[in-house]
Amino acid sequence: DAGITQSPRHKVTETGTPVTLRCHQTENHRYMYWYRQDPGHGLRLIHYSYGVKDTDKGEVSDGYSVSRSKTEDFLLTLESATSSQTSVYFCATQQGQSYEQYFGPGTRLTVT
Amino acid sequence: AQSVTQPDIHITVSEGASLELRCNYSYGATPYLFWYVQSPGQGLQLLLKYFSGDTLVQGIKGFEAEFKRSQSSFNLRKPSVHWSDAAEYFCAVGAFGDYKLSFGAGTTVTVRA
């Protein structure tokens, strides 16, 4: 398994507050991804990164921003959390040519 | 547009019985395909993958999947399920040269004794 950790693992926050989720990997994988998982939707891509400081939007990027200043860290920020952003968030990494993505344990975020 | 469909939201199967989970995709380019499994409260684990070559691929935990280009399908099978196979299963599809995946909505498998 790729060494992927996510922090925090659980968070409850109030509507309107900013929230940052962290993904840390020890495998030196080039690509990193943030997904959200909601019942009936599977996993939907929020943002992804193809290198340090290189990021792009996924299919559900509104209300989210990301940053990657180091290979090992990929941060997801909810600028002003809303109840619709209550979800389980997964980080994934990919080495490159293998196309296989490895997933972190997830962060359960509740926005009240 | 790319899409992945898992027609069965929930399947219940008896322990020891066979299991088949369906996955259909719509892709403009030649796809590569994965099946992932997610146990409750856990992240996703890769079960198997198809890139090219033999259309019947073997994975971990006794699972196999068959790629059928003519039917745009990549169905997952297991001859005899164990109680520990109770989980949610996701089909994922990507295109060569594009490092993003599209996931199906998932199929939840319940195993009864």
Side-chain angles (χ1 to χ4, degrees):
Chain A
D1 284 347
I4 305 171
T5 57
Q6 294 184 230
S7 59
R9 294 293 313 280
H10 301 271
K11 186 170 182 65
V12 180
T13 192
E14 293 184 350
T15 297
T17 60
V19 176
T20 295
L21 308 183
R22 179 180 184 241
C23 177
H24 179 79
Q25 59 134 334
T26 59
E27 300 296 318
N28 201 36
H29 286 176
R30 176 182 175 185
Y31 296 86
M32 297 186 75
Y33 307 82
W34 276 108
Y35 294 91
R36 60 178 291 172
Q37 182 180 25
D38 304 289
H41 291 277
L43 277 78
R44 292 180 291 175
L45 183 64
I46 305 171
H47 281 281
Y48 65 102
S49 169
Y50 43 96
V52 173
K53 299 190 190 304
D54 290 324
T55 64
D56 206 348
K57 296 179 180 179
E59 63 178 297
V60 290
S61 60
D62 287 348
Y64 302 95
S65 63
V66 291
S67 66
R68 191 170 179 199
S69 58
K70 299 184 292 184
T71 298
E72 56 266 36
D73 291 325
F74 193 32
L75 304 180
L76 176 71
T77 297
L78 289 65
E79 306 290 350
S80 176
T82 68
S83 58
S84 65
Q85 293 175 313
T86 293
S87 187
V88 180
Y89 291 85
F90 285 98
C91 173
T93 71
Q94 180 179 311
Q95 186 175 23
Q97 297 303 317
S98 73
Y99 292 99
E100 296 175 24
Q101 292 188 15
Y102 300 91
F103 285 81
T107 293
R108 182 172 296 276
L109 176 68
T110 302
V111 183
T112 62
Chain B
Q2 304 164 347
S3 67
V4 183
T5 303
Q6 294 181 244
D8 304 305
I9 296 173
H10 190 194
I11 287 179
T12 298
V13 61
S14 298
E15 191 169 15
S18 63
L19 174 68
E20 181 168 14
L21 304 182
R22 295 182 291 165
C23 173
N24 296 101
Y25 65 89
S26 173
Y27 252 65
T30 300
Y32 56 88
L33 304 109
F34 301 103
W35 274 99
Y36 284 88
V37 60
Q38 183 183 33
S39 298
Q42 304 296 314
L44 278 72
Q45 180 183 19
L46 180 65
L47 277 178
L48 48 74
K49 60 191 177 187
Y50 174 79
F51 290 153
S52 64
D54 192 347
T55 56
L56 184 64
V57 294
Q58 303 296 320
I60 62 171
K61 305 186 182 193
F63 284 92
E64 66 178 25
E66 186 171 14
F67 172 63
K68 292 185 177 180
R69 186 184 302 276
S70 62
Q71 299 179 19
S72 297
S73 69
F74 188 55
N75 293 349
L76 181 71
R77 298 193 293 256
K78 185 169 185 177
S80 176
V81 300
H82 186 262
W83 64 266
S84 60
D85 294 322
E88 190 162 18
Y89 293 79
F90 294 95
C91 180
V93 184
F96 288 101
D98 180 356
Y99 294 94
K100 302 190 298 294
L101 293 178
S102 295
F103 283 82
T107 298
T108 299
V109 173
T110 298
V111 180
R112 60 183 175 216

